[in-house]
Amino acid sequence: MRSLPTRRLAAVALTAAASVVALAGPAFAHVTVNPGAAAQGGYTAVDFRVPNESDTASTVKLEVNLPLDHPLASVRTLPLPGWTAAVEKAKLDKPIKVHGNDVNEAVSKITWTADAGTKIAPGQFQEFRVSLGPLPTDSDSLVFKTLQTYDNGDVVRWIDESKDGQPEPAKPAPVLKLTKAAAGDDHGVSASPAAGAHGDSSDHAAASDGGAKASDSTARTLGVVGIVVGVIGTAVGVLGLRRKNGSAS
């Protein structure tokens, strides 16, 4: 009769451990903009980081929609072997001034399509690099609604916008936070230079950000593993104590 509570305890411990892992997993799988912040009014280079979430299908297309309520006059893609980038433009309702000139259209969407034999396979991710600017000075963020297409026809819509005070949506759109330019910076140039300008500095910034992201992911993973091990260890200890008491009886 003593075995019934023991089995229940073990089942509860394993269920708790599985729940912790399940809750922690999605935090690593979002499509994101990296680095996640840039200075208002300047130019920057960012990577759209795309993880493959499927265990059975591969990513073969990415569509990134650029906001037209805060249009970007200069948008350039960095060539990526195995992928073809197509840039679409839209006419603006109201022209914007860039370096004293009127700009009547802006990039509205970038689509990357995998060439034959190229894909983001299960367990992999890819980064799509873009230079942007000048960044708006009247907004604290830019939202890039994104569609991720798999070779089995599935389309994941990363289009939900996060709201203050509410839980993060299941499929959040990538967001670039915009910060005030540093005092004395007449040009408002972002900390991450546009692609092709000062390449070493840009690569260093991207590498530093990648390292920070990797460290953050590693820390989260170790934290989750620690919690799981702790839960299982507690259960094993209690089971051992019950067995010992049962033997003594």
Side-chain angles (χ1 to χ4, degrees), residues 94-222:
K94 181 180 179 180
I96 58 175
K97 285 281 188 183
V98 179
H99 304 305
N101 299 316
D102 286 338
V103 175
N104 297 295
E105 63 178 13
V107 173
S108 58
K109 183 166 72 171
I110 306 172
T111 301
W112 285 271
T113 305
D115 299 339
T118 301
K119 59 187 178 181
I120 308 174
Q124 297 180 346
F125 76 95
Q126 183 59 265
E127 292 182 334
F128 300 84
R129 194 163 180 79
V130 181
S131 69
L132 307 168
L135 301 174
T137 57
D138 58 349
S139 177
D140 59 4
S141 66
L142 290 176
V143 178
F144 301 92
K145 296 185 177 183
T146 302
L147 275 62
Q148 179 180 9
T149 301
Y150 288 84
D151 56 8
N152 63 356
D154 289 346
V155 178
V156 180
R157 300 170 62 83
W158 301 95
I159 62 173
D160 298 329
E161 297 188 38
S162 301
K163 297 181 179 179
D164 293 338
Q166 295 186 11
E168 184 180 59
K171 301 296 180 184
V175 177
L176 177 66
K177 298 293 184 182
L178 302 179
T179 60
K180 296 292 185 181
D185 186 352
D186 296 333
H187 301 288
V189 177
S190 166
S192 298
H198 308 295
D200 293 341
S201 299
S202 178
D203 292 342
H204 178 71
S208 299
D209 177 71
K213 293 292 183 181
S215 299
D216 181 59
S217 295
T218 302
R220 291 185 187 180
T221 302
L222 292 176

